[in-house]
Amino acid sequence: MSHQTPLGSSVPQVNCLDLWRAENDRLVRQAKVAQDSGLSLRRQQLAQDALEGFRGLLHSLLVLETQKQLGPRLEGRLMELWNSVLHVSSLPPELLPALHHLAGLQAALWLSTDRLGDLTLLLQTLNGSQSEASGDLLLLLKTWNPPAKASDDPLTLQDAQGLRDVLLTASAFRQGLQELITGSLPRALSSLYEAASGLCPRPVLVQVYTALGTCLRKMGSPQRALLYLVAALKGESICGPPLLEASRLYRQLGNTAAELESLELLVEALNVIPSSEVPHFLIEVELLLPRPDPASPLHCGTPSQVKYLLASRCLQMGRAEDAVEHYLDLLALLLDGSEPKFSPPTCPPGPCMPEVFLEAAAALIQAGRAQDALTVCEELLSRTSSLLPKMPQPWKDARKGTKESPQCPSWVSATYLLQGQAWVQLGDQKQAISEFSRCLELLFRDTPKDKEQGPASNCEQGYTSDVELQQLRAAALISRGLEWGASGQDTKALQDFLLSVQVYPGNGDASFHLLQTLKRLDRRDEATALWQKLEAQAKLPQENATWSLPLYLETCLSWIRPPDREALLEEFGTSLQEPCDL
């Protein structure tokens, strides 16, 4: 352990441990200079040099050779070794500071790898408590009081007390996020308050404030939530999570302008290239936090996912021009190959790629750009032609002895439906009727095998719920019926409206169009019976739908909805009181 010198030499022997300590103290001082340096380039260079020095110092320890050989076996019995060391009765007191420091490093490693059971046992051992009542991780960390190191100990960048404070903040934040995700809101609020009051650097404080905003919004305190989000957004750099949560809060408050502005800022924030960071010397809270999963309020998604959310909200709120701009930007982003997989995180199961095209086409029609909508629909069909049915005639299932038609994804039918609406806007009734008929041919040939009552599960694979399929059929029948009526062919219109009522009795729009057609055809008795039925239904309490439809279909249905049902019923009731011509 020492360098040999010739006999009689006056040069003192130098211990290897002394050399190691001298180099350690020099590197610690260099790292502290790097931390205090205001010049980013000089700071980064000093930090990099110090980091390389620490790595070299670490590799100079012979212990590493032993650890390399015993690593896998050692990992499995670490807790056993800690118990053995901490329960040694003859442990020298001067080793306690170093031992607690090492325990802090072990705790940080176990927290970052979710080994919370081992971490709890370690803290119980350090605190001298093994009772079940002491299983609260935050309480154990608060109770842990590492002994102070002596003045002549080697220099360190971070002592055990500093490690404990970091562990406490990180544990409180992790626990609060998990409680927020699982819906334990009061407990989450308490844990997040604990994290906010701890050792929180600005980037972590922004995340804590965002989570507090989410928690308070869900607890019905939007104004308090807004205060935390405003605090999170203060500063030089704007982060994504508080902007996304702000958009949710403004949506809940009905402030559409602020909601959309928040989403626009979020798109900009996600497109900013992050600057290179100086290497970490300290174990900081950020290093002990897990990556946000889609259920976390800190998960923002990709720029394309947020762009989709912005586009869809504009379409839902009737801002067709803005929706068109965002949808076209989104399609350009998705089709250039930089985002091969698209699955927005905000509304699972989320739309698939074809539905994004359909929503873009619906937005274009809504904005009066029917020709562009046709182009988008044609692009969709050309890119997915391999999914279209190959056999126009029914084929026979040899095993069942029955004839079946090849399955066709619902969005293919929906594409023809939207093309029909585009031709309606362009004033070509013949072409519109042709597209609606093609849509209906596919829809009545296609029967979903899954009888789920709800939204489609995966449009790319052709899975469609009964409700969506019925609504698609009704929309196509009503759309074609309206064109028949506009061209003076009320008898054909009547057939389509009657069939739409049969395929989806819950669609009131079809009944109102049917009533108007019966009136034009002067079928007074049938019209009166239908009017009485609609009058009775209007007086019943309306039930909220337990399912949702794709946005493109909701938009399409809004185009064929009678403008004022109550006025129509009142007008028809008045006409019944007029004497009929004999």
Side-chain angles (χ1 to χ4, degrees), residues 481-548:
L482 289 173
E483 291 309 296
W484 288 130
S487 61
Q489 303 184 63
D490 284 331
T491 302
K492 290 185 176 181
L494 180 66
Q495 293 175 350
D496 279 346
F497 294 143
L498 282 170
L499 185 54
S500 66
V501 171
Q502 293 174 11
V503 299
Y504 190 33
N507 190 322
D509 297 337
S511 297
F512 277 87
H513 289 302
L514 177 59
L515 178 62
Q516 291 176 309
T517 306
L518 289 171
K519 182 181 177 182
R520 287 199 302 270
L521 290 171
D522 199 24
R523 297 171 65 161
R524 190 180 182 88
D525 292 341
E526 296 171 79
T528 301
L530 180 57
W531 172 76
Q532 292 172 341
K533 179 181 178 181
L534 292 174
E535 277 277 279
Q537 290 177 347
K539 297 175 182 178
L540 297 175
Q542 301 298 314
E543 296 182 1
N544 294 325
T546 58
W547 36 261
S548 61

Side-chain angles (χ1 to χ4, degrees), residues 264-274 302-304 307 333:
E264 289 172 352
L265 290 173
L266 177 56
V267 172
E268 294 179 9
L270 291 178
N271 282 315
V272 173
I273 300 175
T302 65
S304 65
K307 195 72 171 177
L333 181 64

Side-chain angles (χ1 to χ4, degrees), residues 131-206:
S131 65
E132 294 184 2
S134 62
D136 186 327
L137 184 57
L138 297 185
L139 182 59
L140 287 169
L141 284 167
K142 290 178 182 179
T143 307
W144 179 33
N145 185 25
K149 65 176 185 177
S151 58
D152 58 346
D153 284 346
L155 296 181
T156 58
L157 283 171
Q158 189 173 24
D159 59 18
Q161 187 70 36
L163 271 174
R164 192 213 71 156
D165 294 340
V166 168
L167 288 165
L168 179 58
T169 301
S171 298
F173 190 22
R174 290 169 64 105
Q175 183 171 308
L177 283 176
Q178 187 59 38
E179 290 164 344
L180 179 56
I181 292 172
T182 58
S184 303
L185 299 183
R187 297 180 61 183
L189 192 64
S190 175
S191 299
L192 292 172
Y193 279 146
E194 179 73 41
S197 64
L199 188 64
C200 263
R202 176 63 190 173
V204 175
L205 195 59
V206 168

